[in-house]
Amino acid sequence: MHLQRFMHRRRKDADLAEEMSAHLAFEEDANTARGLQPKEAHRQARLRFGNPQTTREQVWRYRSIPWLDDIARDLRFVIRSLAKTPGFSIIAILVIAVGIGVNTAVFSVINTVLLKPLSYPDPQALVQLMNSGPRGSFPGANVPKYNIWRKQTSVFQQVAGYDFGGAGLNLTGGDHPQQVQGIHVTSDYFAMFGAPLIIGRSFTAAEDSPNGGRNVVLSYSLWKSRFGGNPNIVGTPIQIDNQPYLVVGVVGRSFVTDPVGDLWLPFQFDPNSHDMAHYFTVAARLKSGITIQQANAQLKLTAEQYQREYGGAPASQEGFSVISLQESIIGDTRYSLFILFGAVIFVLLIACANVANLLLARASVRKREFATRAALGAGRAQIIRQLLTESLALSLTGGLLGLIVGFVGLRLLLNVSPGGIPRLGEDGSAVTLDAHILIFTLGISVLTGILFGLVPAISASRTNLAATLNESSSRSGLGLRSGKIRSGLVVTEMALALILVIGAGLLIRTYLKLQAVDPGFETHNVLTMAMSISGDRFQKSANVDQIIRDGTDRLKALPGVANAAAGCCLPLVGGFGVPFDIVGRPKGANRSTGGAGYYSVSGNYFDVFRIPVLRGRVFTDRDNAASPNVVMINETMAKQYWPNGDPLKDRLLTGVGMGPIFAEPARQIIGIVGDTHDGALNETPRPTMYFPVAQMPDAETALNSRVAPLWWAIRTKGDPHDVVASITAALRDATGGLPVAHVLTMDEIVLHTTARQRFNMLLLIIFGASGLLMAAIGVYGLMAYSVQQRTQEIGIRMALGAQASSLRNMVIRQGMTLALLGVAVGIAGAFWLTRLLASLLFGVTAWDPAAFLATPFLLTAVALLAIWIPARLATDIDPMTALRSE
Amino acid sequence: MGPKKAAAGDILQGTLDMLILRTLVTGPAHGHTIAQVIERTSENALEVEQGSLYPALHRLEDRSLLESEWGISDNNRKAKFYRLTPQGRKELIAVTGRWRHMIRAISLILGEASE
């Protein structure tokens, strides 16, 4: 009610004014009726009524809310006073906008990645099942594990397995075969994620069993793009890998999965399988009321059961556990996001110190204004309130601008550099402006407004009335105290900026080191592409070997192609790992525990990538199914397992203990090749084995074909992009119409593997640069102000014959003392803080001498530049003007 | 200026409110009429100060005791007419009761009660 009165008082006041003038008219009428002359009638009426203005004011005041009125008045005053010094206001607002902008940008990423719940019903209950061991946890499951987990109905409501659609599937049956991501899922999958099926249904348990038929659920986007949103799609057969599949349902657009799928197929694995290969992951929905701890306690028992039944290695202390699905999707992104958040808070603090400094300078100029106001009866609280209103007006304006700057800036950045951050969507599309971000920005604006406004406000309100009014000019500052505060702020700014720039320097060094890593192969002029061979046609190794031969023959005949190879895997894209035994050695000491990388490739592979053959030979066409099994190993494996002996004399037994499909006779080691970086550039090469495709056991090939695509690698004579069209056409012809996807040059793949580091580096460079710029503005502002304050002193000195150069040196000395103090504090702080960066670094230590030497040098140089300008100005002062400046 | 008149503003604030409410029992009226009716009915003993009248009217309206509406007066002028709301009627009964009580109490103290 009160507030309503307040809001409507302007309209009501107009109403009242009109009402009162009507009253006067009535009175005049009455007076005229009594026989008075019109003029007298008017006068008498006025006289009787009294002052209408007073009445209006009285009603107005009764309708007002005092503190709101005060704020409005302060605000009007503040806007007037800020408009009087537009230069100051604009700089302050821009500095705050940058500070708040970068915070908003990073927070909006944190919001999307870490804070927003997954878009499934009751997402907190969704967990990812993990294999936990002494060397950390990893997701992944085989059929026996899935069977055991699924029986834990006391803790899980649903358990579902799904793979990553790695191989891709080919949608055939049209003019344009298309490769799609087909994810294999168990029958509980859709119910567990609460997938909205807009047409049809999900899979039944019967469909998700061996011989359960060929059924498929389509994603919304595939349904729209490939099938024109046909509402009668359910029951229609479609062609996948030249086999007819029946569409049973379509899920709604809102169903987002990680990994993204175009369509889903029933898993249909044999429930009695003893296959030990981990080729899918398992998630579960906790029963309501069950905590993760309770689930973990239960799973501990199941791990023991698994080891009893399937004879996993008890020595490895492998166990099962769950983590929240969101946690598992976020992974280690959390850490680097927190580092970035820390960095932007530094930027904001620098911005605050800067604006506080500007405000202090301004407050000292306005000292007389405050003294006058105080003399007119304004209390200390009122002056503080006015100054805080001023700083809040600045910070809120800056915040609004920062919201725009931060958000637009982030979109641009995400477009340029998708850093492989989970949950961000295509080009960061999932980062949207929402209430969280608005509240964050508003909150941080208010907080910064108070932070940078409070010290100047308190300091200004302490003004000694009489002394100030008696002072002859506006020359005097706020005295020693404020000078110390301002110097302290500049030192802080320099220190914070130095830490930021050192951090940026370390990430730059990391990136350069990554660039300098020799990947072990030649990345230039190699084109790669993935082909799904998931159909029944490629269950046999001979068939896979055949299309590789056909394909590479066809490709090598193309103009512009130097050589071509194909295989399960590519360098940097990575492959699988299997355990191995060296025939004739006792198990134990030399038995591999982590296994070795396991690549089945065509013999040209080493030539295409120019991987050097160190000893022995590479395999050829003659190493086929009929000839004795052979294997090649990399240098790391040779050094690790044959520190003194000769690997070429030994044979390997691979896949021991991994189940029947991996069982195979021993293989002779025939060659040693150089190491390649297969995980990522910042990982050391691991022991790796290479097999000829033709000599793979069929069962392994069938599994491979199902879970991973066949990768083609083509060494071109010129720019790989020039031959993409002819290569994809040739491959389609050679393979009977199979399409390829993920057409990338090896250079592009290298670039992708360092995208995250580049993204981190780019952000920290931006933060460091803005911090440095602000710190420079801070030093400049302080010195320029101090020179201006001392105009008279400098004038006198010059009049007395002081040399311009000595005056300049005095100013520089003063400024540099502060700057160097800041640098010293910053170095100490950086030593303490950069260890937090350690896990993001590669090839440099957190105390990298180069960064710790170069950065202070850079900062000192920038500070010197910022100080030099005011120092020049000092000596430009004309002594006579200075003396008269009183 | 003749015998000293008591201005309504001099009396307790609630009194003017009560008089306004009482005046409106007979029907809607605008500010000028209300002032005249009070003055005339009190045989000119109470002179309503306009400066108090309008704040009082607006206050009563804000408390939902009155409603107002712009209309045309007898002599064809645009004027704002006030009307009692049901709440206003209840309030009038309540304050009149309190007022009577008070008069009786004061009279008792002054020894002029004529039971």
Side-chain angles (χ1 to χ4, degrees):
Chain A
M1 183 63 205
H2 206 50
L3 196 65
Q4 222 175 346
R5 280 207 310 252
F6 179 76
M7 304 304 280
H8 296 143
R9 59 189 175 156
R10 199 168 292 280
R11 208 189 63 219
K12 292 220 168 172
D13 180 54
D15 207 45
L16 177 63
E18 197 182 347
E19 190 180 1
M20 288 189 307
S21 70
H23 185 108
L24 280 167
F26 282 121
E27 192 71 22
E28 264 185 70
D29 286 351
N31 289 349
T32 322
R34 284 206 320 242
L36 290 178
Q37 289 300 308
K39 223 177 177 170
E40 183 61 12
H42 180 76
R43 204 185 69 87
Q44 291 273 343
R46 284 263 153 189
L47 213 59
R48 174 113 205 263
F49 195 92
N51 184 358
Q53 201 56 38
T54 319
T55 307
R56 275 173 68 187
E57 271 171 23
Q58 201 182 335
V59 174
W60 179 270
R61 205 170 317 125
Y62 137 77
R63 290 213 156 95
S64 74
I65 301 170
W67 60 266
L68 257 179
D69 270 344
D70 284 349
I71 286 181
R73 196 176 46 243
D74 275 357
L75 212 58
R76 274 195 298 276
F77 184 81
V78 157
I79 290 168
R80 269 203 306 277
S81 102
L82 288 177
K84 251 189 273 171
T85 50
F88 157 81
S89 309
I90 289 170
I91 287 185
I93 287 171
L94 286 182
V95 165
I96 300 158
V98 170
I100 291 179
V102 294
N103 269 272
T104 300
V106 172
F107 179 77
S108 55
V109 172
I110 288 183
N111 181 47
T112 305
V113 177
L114 304 182
L115 304 182
K116 264 189 205 164
L118 299 174
S119 59
Y120 307 119
D122 194 15
Q124 289 80 14
L126 290 170
V127 292
Q128 176 94 56
L129 287 156
M130 304 291 283
N131 301 275
S132 48
R135 281 172 298 138
S137 305
F138 64 96
N142 51 29
V143 176
K145 286 183 184 178
Y146 169 74
N147 285 336
I148 289 175
W149 288 334
R150 217 158 64 102
K151 286 190 199 118
Q152 307 313 310
T153 50
S154 60
V155 288
F156 298 141
Q157 192 179 330
Q158 281 131 343
V159 176
Y162 49 97
D163 69 12
F164 283 75
L169 300 168
N170 298 310
L171 271 183
T172 48
D175 294 340
H176 305 285
Q178 179 188 355
Q179 206 180 97
V180 293
Q181 284 296 91
I183 298 176
H184 294 87
V185 301
T186 61
S187 59
D188 273 348
Y189 177 86
F190 291 102
M192 189 184 78
F193 285 118
L197 281 136
I198 53 171
I199 307 182
R201 56 170 177 84
S202 58
F203 306 121
T204 62
E207 282 164 349
D208 178 28
S209 57
N211 310 317
R214 296 191 161 106
N215 298 293
V216 56
V217 168
L218 302 181
S219 72
Y220 185 87
S221 60
L222 187 70
W223 176 56
K224 279 284 182 195
S225 64
R226 179 93 182 177
F227 303 103
N230 174 13
N232 303 316
I233 189 88
V234 168
T236 313
I238 64 170
Q239 294 279 323
I240 298 173
D241 292 324
N242 295 316
Q243 299 285 346
Y245 277 72
L246 222 55
V247 176
V248 299
V250 176
V251 288
R253 190 207 298 262
S254 62
F255 188 58
V256 181
T257 56
D258 178 77
V260 177
D262 296 311
L263 52 82
W264 291 269
L265 306 156
F267 225 131
Q268 301 183 335
F269 43 54
D270 173 9
N272 302 317
S273 160
H274 282 205
D275 188 351
M276 292 292 128
H278 292 74
Y279 57 94
F280 59 98
T281 56
V282 173
R285 181 177 284 283
L286 295 176
K287 275 201 154 157
S288 76
I290 297 290
T291 63
I292 285 186
Q293 287 76 11
Q294 286 166 322
N296 276 337
Q298 178 69 26
L299 286 177
K300 200 167 183 276
L301 304 175
T302 64
E304 289 159 17
Q305 183 196 345
Y306 176 78
Q307 276 166 7
R308 272 198 310 277
E309 287 179 31
Y310 298 96
S316 70
Q317 299 170 320
E318 190 183 337
F320 300 148
S321 62
V322 292
I323 61 170
S324 91
L325 187 63
Q326 180 154 2
E327 192 90 352
S328 123
I329 291 174
I330 293 165
D332 59 354
T333 311
R334 182 188 299 269
Y335 193 74
S336 52
L337 282 181
F338 280 142
I339 293 277
L340 290 178
F341 203 46
V344 295
I345 285 172
F346 271 38
V347 176
L348 189 65
L349 286 177
I350 295 174
C352 281
N354 226 325
V355 178
N357 235 333
L358 286 171
L359 279 173
L360 272 171
R362 201 168 110 93
S364 65
V365 175
R366 294 163 73 197
K367 206 171 160 196
R368 280 164 74 86
E369 175 197 332
F370 298 131
T372 312
R373 280 175 60 99
L376 292 174
R380 233 186 117 179
Q382 263 171 301
I383 290 181
I384 291 183
R385 193 185 66 204
Q386 188 212 323
L387 284 172
L388 273 186
T389 313
E390 210 168 280
S391 60
L392 281 175
L394 285 174
S395 71
L396 288 173
T397 316
L400 191 69
L401 202 62
L403 189 67
I404 301 165
V405 166
F407 216 72
V408 173
L410 179 73
R411 297 317 294 242
L412 293 177
L413 205 63
L414 287 175
N415 278 334
V416 176
S417 179
I421 301 171
R423 302 192 68 199
L424 279 191
E426 194 77 17
D427 291 344
S429 56
V431 183
T432 47
L433 203 57
D434 66 9
H436 282 130
I437 297 172
L438 291 177
I439 290 168
F440 172 82
T441 307
L442 179 72
I444 208 161
S445 303
V446 170
L447 219 68
T448 54
I450 292 171
L451 191 64
F452 68 67
L454 209 54
V455 172
I458 289 171
S459 163
S461 70
R462 245 189 222 145
T463 313
N464 179 332
L465 233 180
T468 312
L469 288 176
N470 285 337
E471 258 167 29
S472 48
S473 75
S474 63
R475 178 181 57 89
S476 59
L478 281 171
L480 225 52
R481 227 182 74 84
S482 137
K484 270 188 194 154
I485 296 174
R486 299 199 55 199
S487 303
L489 286 173
V490 164
V491 170
T492 312
E493 271 181 64
M494 288 295 291
L496 291 175
L498 183 90
I499 295 172
L500 272 181
V501 176
I502 283 185
L506 289 173
L507 292 189
I508 293 171
R509 292 264 292 159
T510 291
Y511 189 67
L512 293 180
K513 289 272 185 183
L514 277 177
Q515 296 291 297
V517 166
D518 173 11
F521 59 94
E522 261 214 49
T523 61
H524 306 309
N525 293 341
V526 178
L527 190 68
T528 69
M529 52 197 69
M531 175 182 281
S532 164
I533 50 168
S534 56
D536 290 346
R537 196 178 139 199
F538 300 106
Q539 302 294 296
K540 297 250 182 297
S541 303
N543 295 349
V544 178
D545 187 52
Q546 193 57 50
I547 66 157
I548 292 177
R549 278 165 203 258
D550 293 350
T552 48
D553 285 351
R554 187 83 67 116
L555 291 174
K556 280 191 276 190
L558 290 177
V561 171
N563 205 346
C568 70
C569 329
L570 287 183
L572 288 177
V573 175
F576 313 103
V578 293
F580 66 92
D581 286 336
I582 298 162
V583 176
R585 282 201 202 174
K587 292 191 179 168
N590 285 319
R591 177 155 174 192
S592 138
T593 45
Y598 173 75
Y599 282 39
S600 58
V601 293
S602 71
N604 306 346
Y605 184 86
F606 307 96
D607 182 52
V608 166
F609 287 108
R610 307 239 163 108
I611 299 168
V613 182
L614 305 176
R615 288 193 58 203
R617 63 170 181 97
V618 299
F619 35 77
T620 66
D621 287 351
R622 284 188 304 280
D623 295 307
N624 56 26
S627 58
N629 279 356
V630 294
V631 61
M632 290 167 61
I633 61 172
N634 70 351
E635 195 181 358
T636 295
M637 183 155 165
K639 281 188 177 152
Q640 192 170 330
Y641 294 96
W642 290 269
N644 302 311
D646 180 5
L648 296 191
K649 288 181 179 145
D650 274 324
R651 289 186 306 148
L652 293 183
L653 211 54
T654 59
V656 180
M658 282 189 66
I661 71 163
F662 289 93
E664 58 167 47
R667 291 174 179 272
Q668 179 62 48
I669 301 173
I670 56 162
I672 304 170
V673 292
D675 292 335
T676 58
H677 283 262
D678 287 338
L681 287 178
N682 55 2
E683 285 171 20
T684 45
R686 58 174 182 163
T688 303
M689 306 177 286
Y690 296 93
F691 303 77
V693 174
Q695 290 185 348
M696 295 289 284
D698 280 345
E700 267 180 83
T701 297
L703 178 63
N704 254 354
S705 300
R706 179 168 181 179
V707 301
L710 180 68
W711 286 95
W712 294 87
I714 299 106
R715 177 157 291 280
T716 59
K717 289 173 183 157
D719 184 348
H721 294 102
D722 295 343
V723 287
V724 169
S726 63
I727 285 175
T728 51
L731 278 181
R732 202 159 42 234
D733 290 348
T735 58
L738 295 180
V740 291
H742 307 293
V743 180
L744 289 170
T745 66
M746 211 59 216
D747 286 324
E748 286 163 346
I749 291 177
V750 171
L751 210 61
H752 277 295
T753 62
T754 53
R756 180 83 73 91
Q757 284 86 359
R758 199 170 60 243
F759 187 67
N760 285 345
M761 174 186 74
L762 206 60
L763 284 180
L764 222 62
I765 287 176
I766 293 173
F767 303 154
S770 41
L772 182 57
L773 184 69
M774 284 192 221
I777 293 176
V779 183
Y780 167 79
L782 183 75
M783 294 323 293
Y785 177 76
S786 126
V787 166
Q788 187 209 328
Q789 294 297 296
R790 294 164 62 187
T791 302
Q792 205 184 15
E793 178 202 329
I794 292 172
I796 292 171
R797 285 184 185 223
M798 282 173 73
L800 292 177
Q803 290 294 306
S805 64
S806 77
L807 285 173
R808 203 156 50 218
N809 288 342
M810 178 188 77
V811 174
I812 289 176
R813 198 164 46 241
Q814 233 181 7
M816 286 313 283
T817 308
L818 291 183
L820 290 175
L821 195 58
V823 166
V825 174
I827 290 176
F831 263 112
W832 185 59
L833 279 172
T834 49
R835 50 200 175 96
L836 298 177
L837 276 175
S839 72
L840 302 185
L841 300 180
F842 169 76
V844 290
T845 64
W847 298 285
D848 180 49
F852 273 82
L853 285 175
T855 310
F857 191 73
L858 174 72
L859 244 76
T860 311
V862 170
L864 191 60
L865 193 71
I867 294 163
W868 191 76
I869 301 166
R872 270 304 301 267
L873 292 178
T875 52
D876 284 350
I877 292 168
D878 171 19
M880 287 324 287
T881 323
L883 289 173
R884 272 194 233 105
S885 79
E886 195 45 17
Chain B
M1 264 282 219
K4 201 170 163 77
K5 291 174 183 173
D10 290 347
I11 331 172
L12 299 166
Q13 193 190 50
T15 317
L16 177 59
D17 291 0
M18 179 176 72
L19 296 179
I20 292 170
L21 292 175
R22 176 66 187 84
T23 311
L24 291 173
V25 168
T26 50
H30 54 76
H32 191 254
T33 312
I34 296 170
Q36 274 193 322
V37 169
I38 293 176
E39 284 177 27
R40 241 182 279 139
T41 323
S42 69
E43 293 171 344
N44 289 336
L46 296 172
E47 185 181 334
V48 179
E49 257 180 32
Q50 328 296 354
S52 311
L53 175 67
Y54 283 99
L57 284 171
H58 281 249
R59 204 165 47 237
L60 290 171
E61 192 181 359
D62 283 341
R63 287 173 61 199
S64 301
L65 301 180
L66 299 184
E67 287 172 339
S68 70
E69 200 176 20
W70 284 91
I72 302 296
S73 75
D74 302 337
N75 52 359
N76 262 339
R77 278 193 187 279
K78 200 177 161 210
K80 199 174 177 189
F81 286 86
Y82 290 90
R83 187 180 350 152
L84 270 187
T85 62
Q87 270 158 281
R89 213 168 277 278
K90 258 187 246 165
E91 175 73 7
L92 176 61
I93 295 167
V95 291
T96 318
R98 283 205 293 276
W99 181 255
R100 296 238 156 87
H101 247 88
M102 178 114 82
I103 291 178
R104 188 175 134 68
I106 292 169
S107 304
L108 283 170
I109 293 163
L110 298 177
E112 292 166 10
S114 46
E115 197 67 15

